[in-house]
Amino acid sequence: MQRHFDEQIEQLKQQLLLMSGRAEGITRKALESLMRRDVALAEEVMADDKAIDRMEIDIEEQCIQLLALQQPLARDLRLIAASLKISNDLERVGDHAVNIAGCALQLARTAPVKPLANLPELAEKSIAMLRDALDAFVRGDAEAARQLVERDDEVDVLNRHLFAELMSRMIADPLQVERSMTLVLVGRNLERIGDLATNVAEEVVFSTEARIIKHHADEALGDFDRG
Amino acid sequence: MTVAPDPKPPLSSRPHVPERGPALAAGAAPPTRLAARDFHLYYGATHALKGITLEIPSGSVTAIIGPSGCGKSTLLRSFNRMNDLIPGVRTLGHLAVSGVDVGASSTDVVDLRRRVGMVFQRPNPFPKSIFENAAFGLRMLGMSDREVLAQRVEVGLRRAALWDEVKDRLDRSALQLSGGQQQRLCIARCLAVEPEIILMDEPASALDPTATARIEELVLELRGRYTIVVVTHNMQQAARISDHTVFMLQGVLVEHGDTRRVFTSPREKLTEDYITGRFG
């Protein structure tokens, strides 16, 4: 039996997919503004973020309406609860992109920096995690989501390498400190995007399997049932 | 028989208040009040209950859900042998109330039905005064002392959260009460004889949302003091008021577990499909 409610759930998923596309786009734009020292592009990021904020509110309203009007249970309930959190995670991805664009603006005012080997890779990995997390959500693929959680470690390692590289630059040349610190912040924001993608992946596992895997609370929801 | 002077003692003094979830498993498990073991029931050739096994702890609220004809009301009525009244009914297996075999020939059915009270879908007050309705069971048990009757009636009406609304018109006809009040009067009638267990067969399905909310609040109030089993078609109601949920389908018990778990992450696909409305 295909129900109106199923269509609404499908719509909700599509909106989240669209929102994650926007979040990915804004992050790429922020990075591009950084690489190309493009002030106008960095300023676009700020405007794009407003649209993402708006989407978060729309999705929240949609979820609350579904909760109130459909009174969903079991997997429907979990999916809507997960959607609320995922939309919040995506909104924060937008905020990190804004932070990166802010760094781009700052760096555009100073002399160019020698390219960093790890930065593009860190950016690609974080963005790919986000995209794959949303794919896993839409497909309800808990296995793919679990693999993403492991990929976050790679992002963390890359960020540490980036930090080490910037640190040696600062030690070697104190004039590099301000620019390097700004790039440390860029790395930090990308690493946080990886964390948010991990959050999304954890929500996917919750939504599909009713298992809470975050904070290593690796137990089934409802294991309190001894009846 | 003595009557508790305070109709609403503090929670701490109530017997067998069931803890929800983990606390229940932490060692303070209340005794089993109702138990079924491989219980079968036939209406003539129709196999209505197929090997039901479950245990219901004392003081808990258990909701039985399932589509029409799944056997939930039949199971409910088995606990106080209401099905005896239907010709052609045959049972196999074991049912126990407080450890006593329900089906044994030595079982005093009148006493069983006093201990296992029942509230039906449609309020069914007798065409008598409010007082006489609440006192009906007591009179059937041979109680005639006016003072004791009055005291027990008051306790029943208070516990059914009806006392304040009717105390000044106890001699009026019960049929003048609203549907919700009539249903609470039926609950008071049931409580006046001090049952251990209250079986409720869709107790709020004929009531408006306000009256329904009052019945639900009442169930939560009575929880702990009585063991309550509610049959309901209203999933949200089951989720709101019960500690444990039983899902039945075609005479089979499909799933029985903590209500919070059953409604958030059911173990059985059949349960999931039913509660999310994707059944069939």
Side-chain angles (χ1 to χ4, degrees):
Chain A
M1 180 174 60
Q2 178 68 23
R3 301 168 312 156
H4 184 58
F5 178 56
D6 294 325
E7 285 167 31
Q8 290 175 309
I9 290 274
E10 207 42 51
Q11 261 176 28
L12 179 64
K13 284 182 179 175
Q14 290 308 317
Q15 263 191 284
L16 278 164
L17 205 55
L18 194 67
M19 187 177 177
S20 86
R22 290 272 175 91
E24 184 186 331
I26 192 179
T27 309
R28 284 194 188 284
K29 196 180 266 187
L31 284 161
E32 212 182 316
S33 73
L34 181 89
M35 302 297 183
R36 289 183 9 205
R37 303 163 58 78
D38 187 333
V39 172
L41 202 60
E43 277 162 358
E44 258 182 50
V45 168
M46 316 292 178
D48 289 355
D49 184 48
K50 297 254 186 314
I52 292 183
D53 290 350
R54 183 68 235 169
M55 289 185 91
E56 186 201 14
I57 292 169
D58 288 347
I59 288 171
E60 241 178 55
E61 279 178 358
Q62 209 175 328
C63 288
I64 287 167
Q65 273 182 21
L66 285 172
L67 288 170
L69 304 181
Q70 301 285 351
Q71 301 172 352
L73 292 168
R75 67 172 184 250
D76 298 332
L77 176 63
R78 298 197 306 269
L79 187 126
I80 293 169
S83 298
L84 273 169
K85 298 180 89 171
I86 291 171
S87 72
N88 181 245
D89 289 335
L90 294 175
E91 186 275 326
R92 284 171 59 203
V93 170
D95 293 345
H96 288 298
V98 167
N99 291 347
I100 294 170
C103 294
L105 286 175
Q106 229 174 322
L107 288 169
R109 286 194 291 267
T110 61
V113 195
K114 201 174 77 177
L116 285 152
N118 287 314
L119 189 63
E121 197 187 349
L122 174 61
E124 264 327 303
K125 283 216 151 116
S126 302
I127 290 171
M129 273 184 74
L130 187 67
R131 192 182 49 231
D132 294 348
L134 259 294
D135 276 354
F137 174 70
V138 172
R139 284 185 283 115
D141 187 343
E143 215 28 66
R146 277 204 175 81
Q147 284 167 13
L148 270 166
V149 176
E150 283 161 28
R151 270 161 65 186
D152 189 43
D153 294 342
E154 296 170 27
V155 168
D156 292 349
V157 168
L158 280 171
N159 187 39
R160 276 201 293 276
H161 288 166
L162 178 73
F163 181 77
E165 191 180 342
L166 289 164
M167 196 65 150
S168 32
R169 278 187 193 186
M170 288 188 269
I171 292 166
D173 178 6
L175 288 175
Q176 294 277 337
V177 168
E178 193 184 342
R179 278 172 287 172
S180 294
M181 278 310 294
T182 307
L183 286 166
V184 165
L185 281 180
V186 171
R188 169 77 186 140
N189 277 287
L190 288 170
E191 186 262 329
R192 287 295 299 139
I193 290 174
D195 289 347
L196 290 167
T198 307
N199 286 1
V200 173
E202 287 163 349
E203 290 307 320
V204 174
V205 175
F206 169 72
S207 162
T208 49
E209 291 183 350
R211 275 173 193 283
I212 297 173
I213 59 166
K214 66 181 169 187
H215 313 313
H216 304 288
D218 199 5
E219 58 188 42
L221 179 75
D223 255 10
F224 41 70
D225 173 36
R226 310 289 204 281
Chain B
M1 220 175 287
T2 55
V3 179
D6 179 2
K8 278 186 189 175
L11 268 174
S12 60
S13 70
R14 291 186 186 180
H16 311 308
V17 175
E19 296 295 336
R20 281 186 164 231
L24 192 70
T32 298
R33 184 63 72 193
L34 290 172
R37 203 170 61 237
D38 196 26
F39 184 74
H40 296 257
L41 185 142
Y42 298 83
Y43 290 118
T46 308
H47 196 175
L49 294 177
K50 301 170 185 166
I52 306 291
T53 297
L54 87 165
E55 287 186 5
I56 293 177
S58 184
S60 64
V61 178
T62 300
I64 307 182
I65 59 167
S68 296
C70 71
K72 53 193 190 301
S73 292
T74 300
L75 177 62
L76 198 70
R77 288 196 308 264
S78 299
F79 284 116
N80 64 354
R81 283 180 52 179
M82 291 284 283
N83 293 317
D84 285 12
L85 308 172
I86 303 167
V89 164
R90 201 155 52 81
T91 63
L92 277 175
H94 185 78
L95 273 191
V97 169
S98 307
V100 175
D101 187 353
V102 168
S105 54
S106 58
T107 299
D108 176 349
V109 178
V110 172
D111 184 56
L112 176 70
R113 292 189 189 140
R114 180 195 65 74
R115 287 161 56 203
V116 187
M118 192 147 190
V119 176
F120 299 87
Q121 184 173 3
R122 301 200 71 81
N124 55 351
F126 302 123
K128 291 169 176 287
S129 70
I130 294 167
F131 183 91
E132 284 306 323
N133 264 278
F136 191 82
L138 301 169
R139 288 207 195 277
M140 291 297 281
L141 291 171
M143 209 174 282
S144 55
D145 183 318
R146 285 183 63 85
E147 206 175 311
V148 176
L149 274 177
Q151 196 184 6
R152 294 283 289 266
V153 162
E154 179 176 341
V155 169
L157 288 168
R158 279 190 189 277
R159 284 187 188 165
L162 189 61
W163 176 252
D164 289 340
E165 290 162 57
V166 301
K167 63 183 176 197
D168 301 323
R169 46 174 172 149
L170 292 173
D171 54 344
R172 299 263 191 88
S173 168
L175 302 179
Q176 288 174 3
L177 296 173
S178 70
Q181 288 173 325
Q182 288 186 8
Q183 192 64 309
R184 279 181 282 137
L185 178 60
C186 294
I187 294 172
R189 187 172 68 196
C190 170
L191 297 180
V193 296
E194 304 214 317
E196 296 158 25
I197 296 144
I198 308 167
L199 308 175
M200 297 183 169
D201 197 351
E202 297 192 50
S205 63
L207 304 179
D208 70 21
T210 312
T212 298
R214 300 205 65 160
I215 297 289
E216 289 182 5
E217 275 307 309
L218 182 55
V219 169
L220 292 170
E221 280 285 306
L222 298 174
R223 172 178 172 262
R225 186 189 290 276
Y226 306 95
T227 305
I228 301 174
V229 186
V230 187
V231 160
T232 178
H233 273 295
N234 182 335
M235 231 76 71
Q236 271 68 35
Q237 180 173 78
R240 280 192 295 267
I241 65 176
S242 70
D243 302 295
H244 306 282
T245 296
V246 171
F247 171 57
M248 289 181 65
L249 184 65
Q250 293 174 354
V252 175
L253 189 156
V254 175
E255 187 160 355
H256 177 199
D258 185 292
T259 293
R260 291 177 303 177
R261 183 187 59 71
V262 172
F263 285 105
T264 53
S265 52
R267 295 219 167 101
E268 302 297 329
K269 187 174 183 305
L270 287 170
T271 316
E272 171 106 41
D273 287 350
Y274 181 71
I275 66 176
T276 58
R278 290 183 175 85
F279 199 71

